[in-house]
Amino acid sequence: MQDVASGGLRTIIIGAGMAGLLAAIRLKQRGESDFVIYEKGTSVGGTWRENTYPGIACDTPAHSYSYSFALNPEWSAFYAPGEEIRGYFERMTDRYDLAAHIRFNTEIAACEWRDGQWHVTTKAGDIDQAQVLVAATGVLHHPHIPDIAGLADFERPWFHSARWDHSVPVDGKRIGVIGNGSTGVQIVSALARRAARLVHFQRSPQWIMPAIDKTYTNEEKLDFRTDPAAIENVRNGPETQARRNRFTSAIIDAESTELAEIEDIVARNLEDSVRDPALREKLRPNYRAACKRLVFSSRYYDAVQQPAVYVETGAIERIEPTGVRMKDGTFHELDVLALATGFKVDQFVRPMTVRGVGGLDLEDLWAEGPRAHYAVTVPGFPNLCLLNGPTGPVGNFSLIDIAEKQWGYFDQLLDQVRAGRCQGIAPRIEALERYEVARDEAAGRTVFASGCTSWYLNEKGVPQVWPWSYGHFIECMAAPRLEDFELVGAG
């Protein structure tokens, strides 16, 4: 174990997805090598390992969905397909020599702060210890299976989008897709011309923001390789800044001119793209744009106008052995059923048991819902970092950029431990309460609270997201307010 006085801390990282690899790389970059990554899967990549459904892509521009210190001039398109993104993280693992630090097929059962350290127990019963615990467990990894009567009785192949069975043929088949968030839209767009019939079961329509459907040429890739400014222009150039500022202004103020501009864009996209008036009305939401997470697509409206595609807006009565029965009696016979029904986004570190100072159970602190001080740290849980944790900026921003800034914030807190001033550092409960009061008040003014159902809302209907500007997030992450924290085990 490294000497704390000399700046070394042992760190346990849970998860080898984007955020877990980031934490490991940042530790290496500061000269620390005493860390381990526990990964429940068989390889790196997180959500990009789990999700391999047809049409999967990131709706954040590829050059923005890259580590700031490891830009990739070889992205094939403005929006990269999932396989490429997974390949990027595999290359990062190799580039930074992380494989030796990763324990695959190892799921964590419990974590407990005791005697100035985290004691971590795997499901196999093995125990490890470290001063620092990083929960890079992600949000989109516990599939949500809807409670639809008869689902278990379906005699033909069915699966969640995050468990896509590629052994099941889809060409020339009758396919049902339940769910029309980004995943459902991508699947329908990919299979519309491959299926004999495709039924898209739509609980509520989505506003579709037209996406940049651009494949990079060899000349453009050469430019990216030889001129870093070309990549920087995609990441943070004037057009990108304008889009980012428009969106962040729109979500934090439902009465803003920026939201009105977005509403005009998506409304014109619907009007100009869908020829049939009846279908157009099926696809028209009755809530404000961006109330749900915006869906970006250049292909969906074309896909649903293909002869083989039918948009079903009725309510499902039950699943029968050979298809789906609607409440109005309509029956859709299917060969394959795909559930694009999202994830249990309130899980975070669950189902792990996590106990802090004095045996405090995280479940007790989260009795009314997951919360963390500025989405990163938790009172009573010293040296615990939640990357992309509860109430973070999970809208249409780059989660890599968010995680990088969160890590920089947490790393500054650890300087108190590295300097020997304490064994651990955690936010004061009153600081979390102040943050939550201010956040709840601001969240009520966001477009997320303007009258729709979405996975952003908690049981009380309050959006559990960052309700302020992206610029304010950057300011908050630049330097922690040390007066908001308490030193545990200070000597």
Side-chain angles (χ1 to χ4, degrees):
M1 186 175 295
Q2 292 176 310
D3 182 6
V4 175
S6 67
L9 295 172
R10 176 166 168 77
T11 301
I12 291 175
I13 302 168
I14 305 175
M18 173 275 291
L21 297 178
L22 166 69
I25 294 169
R26 286 308 201 194
L27 287 170
K28 276 207 149 187
Q29 288 175 332
R30 64 171 292 126
E32 297 190 23
S33 59
D34 193 2
F35 64 87
V36 62
I37 305 174
Y38 288 104
E39 168 54 53
K40 67 181 180 180
T42 59
S43 60
V44 303
T47 190
W48 303 106
R49 178 196 66 231
E50 299 290 299
N51 289 270
T52 61
Y53 59 80
I56 183 173
C58 186
D59 58 9
T60 296
H63 285 298
S64 295
Y65 198 77
S66 309
Y67 296 131
S68 63
F69 50 84
L71 302 180
N72 175 28
E74 307 302 327
W75 291 120
S76 66
F78 187 80
Y79 293 110
E83 186 176 358
E84 269 188 53
I85 298 172
R86 177 179 176 178
Y88 172 79
F89 291 122
E90 290 172 342
R91 291 195 303 278
M92 293 302 102
T93 302
D94 293 338
R95 178 185 299 184
Y96 293 96
D97 196 22
L98 300 181
H101 294 269
I102 304 175
R103 307 292 179 263
F104 291 113
N105 299 304
T106 306
E107 187 168 356
I108 301 303
C111 308
E112 183 178 3
W113 174 266
R114 191 172 68 249
D115 303 325
Q117 292 198 85
W118 282 102
H119 299 249
V120 175
T121 306
T122 71
K123 278 202 166 182
D126 298 321
I127 298 175
D128 198 355
Q129 299 177 29
Q131 293 103 323
V132 180
L133 180 63
V134 179
T137 50
V139 179
L140 307 180
H141 65 111
H142 292 293
H144 170 66
I145 306 297
D147 185 16
I148 304 176
L151 180 59
D153 298 328
F154 189 61
E155 295 175 347
R156 293 162 184 178
W158 70 271
F159 35 76
H160 190 275
S161 56
R163 302 291 183 267
W164 195 275
D165 186 347
H166 291 276
S167 70
V168 176
V170 294
D171 292 304
K173 300 298 183 180
R174 296 165 297 184
I175 303 169
V177 178
I178 298 178
N180 67 321
S182 293
T183 296
V185 164
Q186 289 178 347
I187 293 171
V188 170
S189 299
L191 299 183
R193 289 178 173 81
R194 297 175 60 184
R197 176 172 169 79
L198 192 155
V199 181
H200 194 189
F201 297 92
Q202 174 184 274
R203 184 172 61 177
S204 62
Q206 293 276 5
W207 287 113
I208 307 292
M209 176 67 79
I212 299 174
D213 192 6
K214 177 180 177 56
T215 299
Y216 289 124
T217 65
N218 290 332
E219 289 76 14
E220 287 171 315
K221 292 179 186 178
L222 178 60
D223 193 26
F224 290 142
R225 290 186 208 112
T226 56
D227 182 11
I231 294 180
E232 182 59 24
N233 186 57
V234 178
R235 287 170 59 84
N236 293 303
E239 289 187 17
T240 301
Q241 290 283 13
R243 286 195 297 268
R244 183 183 296 152
N245 291 341
R246 180 181 65 195
F247 182 74
T248 192
S249 296
I251 62 174
I252 65 176
D253 181 3
E255 305 308 318
S256 65
T257 57
E258 288 84 359
L259 180 58
E261 182 181 351
I262 288 175
E263 290 182 318
D264 181 62
I265 292 171
V266 295
R268 282 191 287 107
N269 187 35
L270 176 61
E271 294 291 338
D272 295 345
S273 302
V274 181
R275 297 179 298 275
D276 177 26
L279 178 59
R280 193 185 308 140
E281 293 314 305
K282 275 187 175 184
L283 298 169
R284 189 186 304 280
N286 61 1
Y287 54 85
R288 303 195 67 180
C291 184
K292 296 177 186 283
R293 189 177 190 275
L294 272 178
V295 175
F296 287 74
S297 178
S298 61
R299 302 178 183 181
Y300 178 69
Y301 284 151
D302 175 67
V304 295
Q305 293 177 91
Q306 296 304 307
V309 178
Y310 180 76
V311 177
E312 174 60 83
T313 59
I316 295 174
E317 175 71 25
R318 64 184 180 278
I319 308 293
E320 297 185 0
T322 60
V324 177
R325 178 76 62 185
M326 310 305 294
K327 286 191 175 180
D328 66 2
T330 302
F331 181 72
H332 298 285
E333 186 162 1
L334 303 172
D335 300 309
V336 183
L337 180 61
L339 305 179
T341 49
F343 299 85
K344 299 175 182 178
V345 296
D346 63 345
Q347 297 301 290
F348 294 99
V349 299
R350 295 161 172 149
M352 289 186 293
T353 298
V354 183
R355 290 192 171 90
V357 175
L360 173 65
D361 194 323
L362 187 62
E363 286 297 318
D364 293 334
L365 188 68
W366 285 5
E368 296 184 4
R371 52 190 185 145
H373 186 246
Y374 285 89
V376 180
T377 56
V378 183
F381 295 81
N383 303 350
L384 170 63
C385 175
L386 302 177
L387 289 177
N388 290 314
T391 71
V394 296
N396 299 85
F397 299 123
S398 170
L399 289 181
I400 285 187
D401 187 47
I402 292 166
E404 284 194 25
K405 289 176 173 55
Q406 289 176 330
W407 178 260
Y409 172 91
F410 180 68
D411 193 48
Q412 292 179 70
L413 292 174
L414 290 183
D415 285 341
Q416 302 297 313
V417 186
R418 294 186 182 108
R421 300 188 184 102
C422 57
Q423 292 178 322
I425 185 168
R428 301 179 186 278
I429 186 65
E430 55 267 28
L432 173 62
E433 298 295 348
R434 285 196 305 269
Y435 165 76
E436 280 292 282
V437 168
R439 196 198 61 76
D440 278 4
E441 181 182 354
R445 297 190 294 270
T446 66
V447 69
F448 303 132
S450 64
C452 68
T453 58
S454 78
W455 59 271
Y456 290 148
L457 306 180
N458 65 10
E459 293 180 356
K460 298 178 181 178
V462 178
Q464 295 300 286
V465 296
W466 182 264
W468 300 290
S469 73
Y470 187 69
H472 184 56
F473 172 74
I474 294 173
E475 292 172 2
C476 291
M477 292 296 101
R481 289 166 42 92
L482 290 180
E483 57 267 36
D484 285 348
F485 291 82
E486 57 185 352
L487 305 182
V488 178

